[in-house]
Amino acid sequence: MRTIKMGIVGLGRLGKRHAENIAFRVPNAELLAVCSIKQDEVDEAQKNWGIKYAYTNYKEMLENEELDAIFIASSSTEHCKQIELALEAGYHVFSEKPLGITKEEVDYITNIIEKHNDKKFMLGFMRRFDPSYLYAKKKLDDGDIGKPMYIRCYSIDPVSAVEGAIAFAEKSGGLYLDMMIHDLDLARWFLNSEAKTVFAVGDNYLYPEFGEHDDIDNGAAMIQFENGAVASFFAGRTSVHGYHIETEIIGTKGTLRIGTIPEKNLVTVFNENGAVRECHEGFLERFENAYLNELQEFVNCVLEDRKTPVGAFDGLKATEIGYACKQSLITNQLVML
Ligand code: NAI
């Protein structure tokens, strides 16, 4: 059985999970190298998981000729240059979103990725690999709800994680590019159409600290797509009940809803608060299967020499909408794409 030997850069909140998935949960994948600028993260991964190579310098990892592919899960500010370096060194690349945190970076790296089309490149829009979203997409494509007219997306991080989000804000690209981007991509995917006009509003309702990085703690956007469908989005950092991810698609013959109540599982707790359905606590829990499935798909694409289902173009398009949202927020004007 051929395996894809991978090196991962970034061993933080999400990188650690991706690393574990590569090392232990995906057939045909092998975690040969880990890299982080934090020595303790690298030491811990190497010791606990028995990883052959460990680096604190990314360029040194790229010199390891035993590797086939690089997985990028570092801070968003690093993605653009790390993608370019990995492709130029001859590796297949999976990168966490976003492609970059400025429009120039995203345009630039999209061209570089297209230039290296002999290598596989996949972007981490993992919601497309979540079993419920896949199920809904099939129903939509089969015409079960007719023509989609409206899509509504909520993505609200738990307030319990807000300190981390504030610390991350400087390198995140802001609420629209960091958080809402998943829903912007989902809307393109579900509607098979591109955004046409964008209007966005938002503020720092609870945490002015985000303002120090030109960011907001909660924001919304309304977008019209080229096919006439309308979409409304809400993203935030202050959900009190848990990690709230919800999507609704209203079609001419029916409606699909995913995650109306972001339930943790099938258990109802009856207590002094009534009949309680507990909620997911964060992205690692809610999208556990999606992270695994996207990695498996990337490995399969490399092994079978197939085109990856989510590429630079998707990153570029979602980013363009995210920027339009940011621009609309600042100018309080409708933005035409
Ligand atoms: P984090 O801040 O917890 O971890 C960042 C990691 O990158 C750390 O290990 C740090 O040492 C490493 N790093 C940073 N610069 C580096 C460099 N130049 N060389 C080597 N290592 C470097 O960040 P987190 O939350 O794990 O996010 C990582 C990325 O994943 C971000 O781009 C974020 O947007 C994305 N993300 C995606 C999610 C999704 O659901 N698809 C959810 C959460 C994050």
Side-chain angles (χ1 to χ4, degrees):
M1 185 173 76
R2 197 181 148 215
T3 59
I4 300 301
K5 296 185 175 58
M6 299 179 79
I8 188 167
V9 57
L11 294 167
R13 288 182 312 167
L14 182 57
K16 200 171 163 193
R17 171 63 61 85
H18 283 309
E20 283 182 295
N21 284 344
I22 299 168
F24 306 112
R25 300 193 188 102
V26 166
N28 302 93
E30 191 182 330
L31 187 61
L32 204 66
V34 289
C35 173
S36 166
I37 40 173
K38 296 182 184 156
Q39 183 74 52
D40 57 326
E41 289 181 350
V42 169
D43 290 345
E44 193 188 316
Q46 192 167 35
K47 186 167 128 252
N48 292 349
W49 303 333
I51 307 300
K52 193 167 172 191
Y53 301 105
Y55 303 90
T56 49
N57 182 318
Y58 179 65
K59 286 186 181 164
E60 277 176 26
M61 181 167 79
L62 296 184
E63 285 167 16
N64 186 331
E65 290 178 357
E66 288 179 53
L67 294 170
D68 300 306
I70 300 295
F71 196 114
I72 297 172
S74 54
S75 314
S76 303
T77 45
E78 309 303 301
H79 295 182
C80 180
K81 64 173 177 273
Q82 289 183 343
I83 293 169
E84 180 176 15
L85 286 169
L87 287 171
E88 303 228 306
Y91 296 109
H92 303 290
V93 176
F94 184 107
S95 176
E96 256 311 328
K97 48 64 82 177
L99 279 176
I101 60 160
T102 65
K103 175 129 182 30
E104 292 71 29
E105 263 191 3
V106 173
D107 288 341
Y108 175 78
I109 200 62
T110 303
N111 280 328
I112 298 282
I113 294 165
E114 279 165 8
K115 215 175 81 189
H116 289 278
N117 59 10
D118 56 321
K119 295 291 160 201
K120 305 294 168 204
F121 175 81
M122 187 157 150
L123 190 66
F125 283 145
M126 80 300 179
R127 291 193 195 178
R128 295 192 188 200
F129 299 88
D130 172 71
S132 299
Y133 281 112
L134 281 168
Y135 192 79
K137 170 74 170 157
K138 175 145 191 348
K139 288 213 171 294
L140 191 60
D141 288 349
D142 288 349
D144 287 14
I145 64 160
K147 189 172 170 233
M149 301 180 289
Y150 177 75
I151 178 164
R152 173 179 63 84
C153 305
Y154 294 169
S155 287
I156 319 170
D157 268 339
V159 72
S160 58
V162 75
E163 293 306 328
I166 291 167
F168 188 67
E170 188 189 353
K171 294 187 168 185
S172 78
L175 187 78
Y176 292 102
L177 287 169
D178 179 52
M179 184 85 186
M180 196 183 282
I181 197 153
H182 285 293
D183 284 324
L184 300 175
D185 176 64
L186 275 186
R188 291 181 59 247
W189 184 58
F190 277 129
L191 298 173
N192 282 320
S193 185
E194 300 297 346
K196 194 168 73 173
T197 47
V198 175
F199 185 68
V201 283
D203 209 340
N204 283 307
Y205 297 91
L206 275 174
Y207 294 95
E209 295 93 316
F210 284 100
E212 289 164 24
H213 305 289
D214 290 330
D215 201 0
I216 51 176
D217 62 22
N218 284 275
M222 176 147 279
I223 298 180
Q224 186 169 32
F225 279 73
E226 284 169 356
N227 67 359
V230 173
S232 75
F233 303 84
F234 186 84
R237 307 284 190 191
T238 58
S239 164
V240 291
H241 57 276
Y243 180 56
H244 192 116
I245 303 295
E246 181 184 350
T247 307
E248 178 177 47
I249 308 156
I250 301 180
T252 48
K253 290 187 193 157
T255 292
L256 296 166
R257 274 194 194 165
I258 306 127
T260 307
I261 300 171
E263 291 154 305
K264 190 181 190 68
N265 50 37
L266 295 176
V267 177
T268 305
V269 182
F270 296 86
N271 61 19
E272 65 278 12
N273 295 318
V276 178
R277 304 302 309 266
E278 291 178 8
C279 296
H280 292 298
E281 286 166 27
F283 54 85
L284 292 175
E285 184 186 357
R286 168 65 182 85
F287 290 110
E288 183 178 358
N289 290 325
Y291 293 126
L292 211 49
N293 294 344
E294 67 176 358
L295 173 62
Q296 182 68 70
E297 178 63 9
F298 174 68
V299 168
N300 291 348
C301 285
V302 174
L303 284 171
E304 296 161 16
D305 192 17
R306 272 196 288 116
K307 189 174 180 313
T308 57
V310 197
F313 181 75
D314 299 297
L316 175 74
K317 285 296 171 189
T319 309
E320 280 175 358
I321 312 174
Y323 269 105
C325 290
K326 238 173 150 174
Q327 195 188 338
S328 175
L329 175 82
I330 293 165
T331 60
N332 201 31
Q333 302 281 319
L334 194 71
V335 175
M336 319 287 278
L337 278 158

